[in-house]
């Protein structure tokens, strides 16, 4: 509308589209999550030695809270892939 030469206030636009003004002006204030290096370094060292360890094993070996270890795993991208669940393929026996 501005290109056509019409100047419309934000109040009118919000009223026309049925949107609250506070949602138009909203800016998120939440900071991105940070990983403390003193917690991440021992975890990284243990994962490099044994890459198959999950967050529970690492938390148990380092005597750390498992929720903290899992959060660090997820933020750093170290999460171990989950095993496939279901039936394993079997070889069909010949009659």
């Amino acid at each position: 509308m501005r290109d056509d030469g019409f100047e419309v206030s934000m109040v009118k636009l919000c009223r026309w589209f049925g949107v609250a003004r506070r949602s138009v002006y909203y800016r998120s204030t939440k900071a991105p999550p940070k990983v403390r290096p003193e917690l991440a370094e021992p975890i990284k060292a243990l994962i490099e030695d044994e890459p198959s360890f999950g967050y529970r094993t690492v938390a148990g070996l380092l005597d750390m809270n498992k929720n903290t270890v899992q959060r660090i795993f997820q933020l750093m991208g170290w999460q171990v892939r989950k095993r496939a669940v279901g039936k394993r393929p079997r070889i069909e026996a010949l009659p």
Side-chain angles (χ1 to χ4, degrees), residues 1-94:
M1 292 182 74
R2 188 175 288 164
D3 296 338
D4 297 332
F6 296 105
E7 194 68 34
V8 181
S9 69
M10 189 61 73
V11 176
K12 281 188 179 180
L13 285 172
C14 290
R15 207 175 288 147
W16 289 347
F17 292 108
V19 178
R21 275 185 291 154
R22 88 182 336 172
S23 63
V24 173
Y25 292 114
Y26 175 77
R27 297 284 179 256
S28 178
T29 58
K30 189 172 183 180
K34 298 175 185 168
V35 177
R36 293 184 9 208
E38 63 269 11
L39 294 176
E41 288 170 3
I43 294 173
K44 179 69 174 168
L46 193 58
I47 291 173
E48 287 177 352
D49 292 341
E50 289 292 335
S52 64
F53 283 176
Y55 74 93
R56 289 182 188 145
T57 307
V58 171
L61 291 172
L62 295 176
D63 288 330
M64 295 174 72
N65 187 329
K66 71 176 177 62
N67 296 329
T68 304
V69 174
Q70 184 184 26
R71 189 176 138 272
I72 292 171
F73 265 53
Q74 289 172 343
L75 291 174
M76 301 299 282
W78 299 336
Q79 194 77 41
V80 177
R81 292 190 63 188
K82 204 171 185 181
R83 288 185 184 152
V85 177
K87 296 181 180 178
R88 292 180 291 175
R90 302 285 185 210
I91 298 174
E92 293 183 19
L94 296 175

